[in-house]
Amino acid sequence: MADSESRKVIELGYGGNERLVMNMGPQHPSAHGVFRAILTLEGETVVAVDAVIGYLHRCHEKLGEMLTYVQYPTIASKTDYVAAMTAELAYVTAVEKVASFEVPKRAQYLRVIVAELQRIASHCLWLGTWCLDMGGALGGGATVFLYCIRERELILDLFESLTGARLLYGFHQVGGTRYDIPPGWAQTCRETIALIEQRLDEYEAMLEDNAFFLVRTQGVGVISATLAQEVGVSGPLARGSGIDFDLRRAEPYSSYQDFDFKVPVETAGDCYARYRVRMVEFRESIKIVRQALDGLPEGPISSRPGVKSVGQVRVPKGEGYARVEGARGEIGFYIVADGGPKPYRMKVRGASFSNLAILPHIIPGCKVADVVAIMGSVDPVFGEVDR
Amino acid sequence: MPEAARNGAGFWSDFGRLVRAVGRAMGVTLKNLGRKPVTVHYPDVKRLYPDRFRGILALTYDKETGEENCIGCRLCEYICPPQVIKVEMLKAEKRNFAKVFQLELYACEFCELCVQVCPTDAIIMMKSFDLATADRRELLLDKDRLHAIGLDFEPSWATGNRLRDMQAPPKPAKAPAAKGEAKESTE
Amino acid sequence: MEHLALDALAAFILLNAVIGMVTYVTLLERKFAARMQSRIGPYRVGPHGLLQPIADALKLMMKEDIVPRAADRWVYNLAPIVFLIPCVLIFATIPFAPRLGLADLNIGVLFFLAVSSLEIVGLFMGGWGSNNKYALLSAMRAVNQIISYDLPFVFAALIPVVLAGSLQMSAIVAAQQGLWFVAYPVIGQLGFVAFLVATLAAENRVPFDILEAESELVAGFRVEYSGMKFAIIQLGEYAHMIASSFLGALLFLGGWLGPGSDIPAIGVLWFLLKAMLVFLVVTWVRWSFVRIRVDQILAVSWKLLLPATLGLLLVTAFWVALRGGAGA
């Protein structure tokens, strides 16, 4: 439809009728990763977009068949590399669901703490890069970017003292977690999130009610609720369009039912609505972390002995799908197990893959400058898109 | 942007909002002007490594006897996801050794799984990340290099036994301690 | 004859001073911006980064000069020069002290405004000659924007002219002996703010830098330039920025007036300080806001800034007429 039209235009070159075919290629300062969008412009207005993905395909699903259940969690973090904890959580939850393994309470609370901290860190990166795209590498956008990264570094320091790694952790294992919190970590964590809560007020002061920011985001990239449901977007994209659905509340996993948090929903469906949803999610995640730290029970961190050999975990025959609420939406893993140490088939449902499908519906009709604002508010991570 | 609205009241209130928003944003940047920069002056000043930092890999010697810890069991080789470790066992009378131990550091993903499975705490990670070289061959670590690294830098906290103990605390002897027990499942 | 030689020498000295000042102003901007972002800025090249501009200049001089094969050679190669000349020429009309100026024309402000808007020619030549869609898009946006903002710029600059009753820059400063123009109730402050906004837009500074939006158009019309040509374009941009800061300091902040300004040296110092203040305010704005779209930029200009500056100018003229003529 829109795809075939723009493909014809590409073959003709300057598609006649004053149309310009411009390539926002895989190497682009605001492509959020390797993403190619072939835009057809009439003046400043985008008439058609042809999205090309696949530049980051690294055969995760094949790796899932070749690596065992104890090896794969370290690789699962590489799908959504910006929010690695939730990606690993999705995989181990799926395996535990298929095998009916139990996870001790302390491990569940640790997983919640870590997932919510990761959500805060991921949203920090989202806000920074989005403002960077809209404000320029030499300008106000860079300022907000550096503030957000400064805060994200604090959370990464927390993760570093917990696991030893800053970006790709390997924190989860089938049956629980690999690491327990070191002494003093809970106190540092509390201080860090208190600091971030204050700094959030600063970001909002810079952006909220700011006419420059509002004209760039209000009314831009409107996704209606019906369109969101048809295309299958999830996460803050869906909640910004009025669909009140959050997996942490609808299908609680890993003890989320013990915690009290609000799920923000906005009805406008534009970039500003998605921005507001994520800003509220910041504060709600901080609340959840505090509740989890307060209620952290004693006990083992894994229901299975520590990994001693590569084929240690065997899952009896069966199949199942588990999904978690990642920072970008619903991350799901579908596992078909055949009784051995490796899955027979593993499918990854990446949140950004479905979210990115919204682009051909909302980009035609907007200006070139809006394309970057929309891409930023969709917040794709191409590890999830291309797997 | 408050375009000159037909109704004057709307225009002035919009304008007032804009002025206040501009003032707030510039106030935040001014406040940060007064804050101390968060830059760490690397390489003059090095950041404090946390205890569990996953840095370069190394092989260790036994503290008391001075012998190599590695028994060439190849568990690390089997578990490594990108398969960067190659080990050949050397059989001896009392215990085995590793004849060849090769680690391709340029492909290592620093996941610490090899440390996790090692039964003798032979392979560990050190608190160093200064791994950049101009020659890729320097990143193909052989056994001598790995032992040398083990003596050069400070080791991280994690060793195989410590990790495994943390993940499933040792069961008390015969007491029915329900909380501390690890569930043994079919292997 | 020696009059000509003396003038040529003065021009040479001024040109070098301008270029030196422009390179070090980039360092000032980088360190100021860095401090606002909780970091340090250039630090290692020379003590506290003081040799960084020299390192940058050397680097740009040593880079390979790549000319795209399909580029329009004459237009492409001439564009940086056509861009630079107006930006540097306007410095000739700025007097730095009562009789310390290269050419204190009696139509100084008019000459400044007219010549400074000639940079758009060089800009468009660069965008067109590059044979690059990004550059072309950016050049088209730039022409739109700069033409739209030249009018409010002129009107805002005319407010001090009306208040002083002369286009000659030294006369405008002399008219501020009693009270700086920025201190005049309402018209002074509003005029200064309008001047700053118009300067931001005419210089393509955030929030109006849509033409070089790095995240969309990579580098705008400069994208195909490398090496020394890129350096010349940078030089021209920053020179224009500094010249506008000097103009702002001169028109609104009293130029070289200040305690002890009878001595020309101290006057020059005050002038530099005020110009740097204007520059820092513009930088502060630059690093605090996101940019707005080109159609919104044009809306601001035609629907807001132009009527506002026109209105201010009329009010000023009315007030001056009531006062009984200019130069009070």
Side-chain angles (χ1 to χ4, degrees):
Chain A
M1 216 203 32
D3 289 349
S4 56
E5 261 176 13
S6 49
R7 275 186 219 289
K8 267 194 295 194
V9 172
I10 292 162
E11 278 148 19
L12 289 175
Y14 274 80
N17 202 20
E18 308 274 333
R19 285 188 174 187
L20 190 71
V21 176
M22 191 167 93
N23 185 34
M24 272 175 83
Q27 295 157 320
H28 193 93
S30 86
H32 278 272
V34 278
F35 174 62
R36 183 176 180 207
I38 305 176
L39 305 170
T40 311
L41 305 174
E42 261 184 20
E44 278 266 340
T45 317
V46 178
V47 173
V49 64
D50 187 14
V52 181
I53 57 175
Y55 291 93
L56 198 56
H57 181 61
R58 294 172 296 182
C59 314
H60 271 276
E61 299 186 356
K62 178 66 181 171
L63 280 176
E65 292 173 23
M66 280 174 34
L67 298 174
T68 63
Y69 296 109
V70 305
Q71 289 173 306
Y72 192 75
T74 54
I75 309 281
S77 45
K78 298 180 211 283
T79 52
D80 184 356
Y81 42 80
V82 168
M85 291 291 194
T86 43
E88 291 175 21
L89 179 61
Y91 178 73
V92 293
T93 309
V95 176
E96 286 155 6
K97 185 166 170 186
V98 171
S100 306
F101 290 153
E102 284 210 354
V103 180
K105 205 70 174 160
R106 185 179 173 87
Q108 292 185 10
Y109 272 57
L110 281 177
R111 285 180 177 183
V112 166
I113 294 174
V114 148
E116 293 308 311
L117 279 176
Q118 183 71 80
R119 193 183 312 272
I120 300 172
S122 168
H123 284 339
C124 272
L125 188 74
W126 156 77
L127 186 64
T129 51
W130 191 42
C131 291
L132 189 65
D133 289 344
M134 290 201 299
L138 301 171
T143 310
V144 178
F145 175 72
L146 284 168
Y147 295 161
C148 290
I149 296 295
R150 184 185 57 190
E151 266 66 85
R152 183 180 149 93
E153 288 290 306
L154 296 174
I155 298 188
L156 293 188
D157 286 343
L158 276 178
F159 284 151
E160 198 187 14
S161 47
L162 176 65
T163 65
R166 294 179 77 87
L167 194 73
L168 302 167
Y169 312 104
F171 175 72
H172 296 79
Q173 70 174 16
V174 176
T177 64
R178 270 172 80 192
Y179 299 91
D180 202 348
I181 56 178
W185 192 88
Q187 182 54 28
T188 319
C189 185
R190 279 184 221 271
E191 289 166 10
T192 306
I193 55 180
L195 183 69
I196 293 182
E197 211 169 10
Q198 283 174 357
R199 297 282 166 86
L200 274 181
D201 293 333
E202 276 188 21
Y203 307 154
E204 294 196 323
M206 275 195 84
L207 296 173
E208 201 69 34
D209 208 32
N210 189 332
F212 298 123
F213 181 70
L214 291 177
V215 287
R216 284 303 292 273
T217 53
Q218 275 183 336
V220 170
V222 178
I223 304 177
S224 64
T226 38
L227 181 66
Q229 277 180 326
E230 277 174 26
V231 173
V233 301
S234 53
L237 249 71
R239 288 197 281 281
S241 299
I243 303 176
D244 187 5
F245 183 71
D246 187 331
L247 279 169
R248 296 174 289 172
R249 194 187 49 193
E251 298 176 7
Y253 52 92
S254 188
S255 295
Y256 266 103
Q257 64 269 18
D258 294 350
F259 304 109
D260 165 44
F261 59 97
K262 235 175 26 162
V263 171
V265 178
E266 301 270 333
T267 47
D270 57 9
C271 292
Y272 185 71
R274 298 192 273 277
Y275 155 82
R276 284 270 10 121
V277 165
R278 289 191 177 103
M279 293 307 279
V280 176
E281 279 187 4
F282 261 119
R283 297 191 193 270
E284 296 303 315
S285 293
I286 292 180
K287 257 172 51 182
I288 299 179
V289 173
R290 284 207 180 107
Q291 291 173 39
L293 280 175
D294 287 337
L296 190 61
E298 296 298 322
I301 57 170
S302 172
S303 64
R304 309 183 55 78
V307 172
K308 277 205 288 245
S309 74
V310 69
Q312 187 169 325
V313 175
R314 273 166 208 270
V315 173
K317 260 205 188 128
E319 55 188 60
Y321 179 70
R323 46 190 190 157
V324 305
E325 181 77 20
R328 284 162 186 80
E330 173 185 320
I331 306 178
F333 275 77
Y334 187 89
I335 307 241
V336 177
D338 61 354
K342 306 183 204 187
Y344 172 75
R345 170 80 172 100
M346 182 199 78
K347 156 131 181 85
V348 186
R349 192 253 190 224
S352 301
F353 184 69
S354 311
N355 289 350
L356 216 57
I358 200 93
L359 286 183
H361 298 273
I362 55 175
I363 286 192
C366 69
K367 307 261 185 298
V368 175
D370 291 334
V371 173
V372 270
I374 294 174
M375 283 279 310
S377 76
V378 164
D379 194 18
V381 166
F382 285 87
E384 282 190 313
V385 174
D386 297 333
R387 285 153 298 181
Chain B
M1 202 63 198
E3 317 186 353
R6 292 306 130 208
N7 45 338
F11 170 74
W12 284 112
S13 76
D14 278 343
F15 191 68
R17 260 174 72 196
L18 174 67
V19 169
R20 270 195 301 278
V22 164
R24 265 203 309 269
M26 289 172 70
V28 168
T29 24
L30 198 63
K31 190 155 88 156
N32 277 284
L33 192 64
R35 278 202 184 124
K36 195 165 164 314
V38 296
T39 319
V40 173
H41 288 266
Y42 185 85
D44 300 329
V45 172
K46 293 207 209 292
R47 199 172 58 100
L48 220 60
Y49 289 111
D51 260 345
R52 301 184 183 177
F53 187 77
R54 290 190 206 158
I56 194 174
L57 291 143
L59 287 171
T60 56
Y61 296 106
D62 194 315
K63 280 209 184 22
E64 290 110 37
T65 62
E67 278 193 347
E68 297 164 0
N69 267 329
C70 178
I71 58 173
C73 67
R74 308 179 81 184
L75 278 174
C76 54
E77 178 178 347
Y78 296 139
I79 200 157
C80 178
Q83 296 167 357
V84 305
I85 303 182
K86 303 275 182 293
V87 183
E88 277 179 33
M89 190 194 280
L90 174 72
K91 285 197 180 301
E93 318 88 45
K94 293 213 197 70
R95 49 154 286 189
N96 299 326
F97 288 89
K99 184 164 64 180
V100 169
F101 194 109
Q102 194 187 74
L103 194 144
E104 297 171 78
L105 198 63
Y106 46 82
C108 171
E109 57 173 48
F110 295 88
C111 62
E112 219 172 34
L113 278 174
C114 52
V115 177
Q116 162 110 33
V117 295
C118 183
T120 55
D121 295 351
I123 187 168
I124 56 169
M125 296 182 102
M126 317 296 281
K127 290 185 187 173
S128 164
F129 68 91
D130 293 319
L131 308 173
T133 82
D135 188 355
R136 194 178 283 207
R137 285 168 293 188
E138 286 183 40
L139 293 177
L140 182 61
L141 306 174
D142 57 0
K143 190 153 163 262
D144 300 321
R145 193 79 215 284
L146 283 165
H147 276 296
I149 295 171
L151 299 171
D152 275 343
F153 298 105
E154 201 188 317
S156 291
W157 169 89
T159 69
N161 284 306
R162 283 193 195 144
L163 281 173
R164 287 193 297 272
D165 286 344
M166 180 192 264
Q167 285 151 14
K171 291 194 295 277
K174 258 302 161 190
K179 244 190 356 177
E181 264 184 332
K183 238 192 343 190
E184 287 290 351
S185 47
T186 55
E187 295 275 343
Chain C
M1 204 61 225
E2 25 344 306
H3 198 52
L4 214 60
L6 218 59
D7 277 344
L9 183 64
F12 182 71
I13 293 177
L14 182 65
L15 190 60
N16 281 298
V18 163
I19 293 182
M21 182 164 46
V22 164
T23 46
Y24 271 87
V25 147
T26 56
L27 180 67
L28 173 69
E29 171 165 27
R30 283 167 75 171
K31 294 208 77 91
F32 185 64
R35 289 284 164 159
M36 284 200 291
Q37 294 170 344
S38 284
R39 57 186 181 94
I40 300 188
Y43 188 72
R44 301 198 70 85
V45 184
H48 282 276
L50 281 175
L51 293 181
Q52 180 76 39
I54 314 239
D56 287 339
L58 282 176
K59 174 203 79 166
L60 283 170
M61 279 196 262
M62 293 197 297
K63 275 202 172 198
E64 180 184 353
D65 189 21
I66 304 174
V67 178
R69 195 183 312 166
D72 191 338
R73 299 204 75 111
W74 277 103
V75 175
Y76 177 83
N77 285 324
L78 276 180
I81 305 176
V82 175
F83 182 73
L84 178 70
I85 291 180
C87 299
V88 177
L89 191 55
I90 45 186
F91 274 97
T93 59
I94 299 180
F96 291 92
R99 268 179 315 281
L100 193 69
L102 195 57
D104 193 12
L105 304 171
N106 56 354
I107 50 160
V109 176
L110 180 65
F111 185 83
F112 187 104
L113 295 171
V115 171
S116 79
S117 53
L118 281 180
E119 62 159 9
I120 187 67
V121 176
L123 205 148
F124 194 73
M125 281 172 69
W128 179 264
S130 301
N131 195 32
N132 179 325
K133 289 174 200 172
Y134 288 120
L136 187 62
L137 202 58
S138 143
M140 295 195 290
R141 285 173 173 179
V143 169
N144 244 329
Q145 180 180 322
I146 295 187
I147 291 181
S148 311
Y149 276 90
D150 266 340
L151 279 171
F153 192 46
V154 164
F155 287 139
L158 279 181
I159 294 174
V161 167
V162 167
L163 283 174
S166 156
L167 281 169
Q168 188 169 15
M169 296 210 194
S170 43
I172 297 180
V173 177
Q176 296 183 59
Q177 292 272 6
L179 193 64
W180 293 353
F181 285 152
V182 76
Y184 277 48
V186 181
I187 42 175
Q189 284 102 39
L190 285 184
F192 188 47
V193 168
F195 180 84
L196 279 181
V197 174
T199 303
L200 276 172
E203 307 299 331
N204 307 312
R205 298 250 119 177
V206 176
F208 305 109
D209 76 337
I210 196 73
L211 85 85
E212 65 181 37
E214 292 81 12
S215 39
E216 309 155 29
L217 303 176
V218 190
F221 72 97
R222 305 183 291 234
V223 70
E224 290 283 359
Y225 286 99
S226 64
M228 205 55 212
K229 294 196 195 120
F230 180 78
I232 291 178
I233 294 181
Q234 281 285 79
L235 201 65
E237 276 193 10
Y238 272 91
H240 197 184
M241 186 68 244
I242 301 294
S244 298
S245 310
F246 272 111
L247 187 70
L250 197 145
L251 289 178
F252 286 95
L253 293 180
W256 55 77
L257 294 173
S261 60
D262 306 320
I263 311 167
I266 303 204
V268 171
L269 214 60
W270 273 115
F271 195 20
L272 283 174
L273 235 69
K274 290 178 198 174
M276 283 305 114
L277 186 69
V278 173
F279 177 73
L280 282 181
V281 168
V282 168
T283 303
W284 184 17
V285 170
R286 178 192 197 189
W287 294 90
S288 303
F289 296 107
V290 299
R291 71 170 65 95
I292 51 181
R293 271 196 336 243
V294 69
D295 56 330
Q296 292 154 353
I297 294 179
L298 297 178
V300 165
S301 162
W302 291 103
K303 295 191 198 177
L304 178 65
L305 208 54
L306 187 59
T309 45
L310 202 50
L312 267 176
L313 190 58
L314 285 175
V315 166
T316 312
F318 191 59
W319 182 77
V320 164
L322 274 184
R323 198 178 56 178

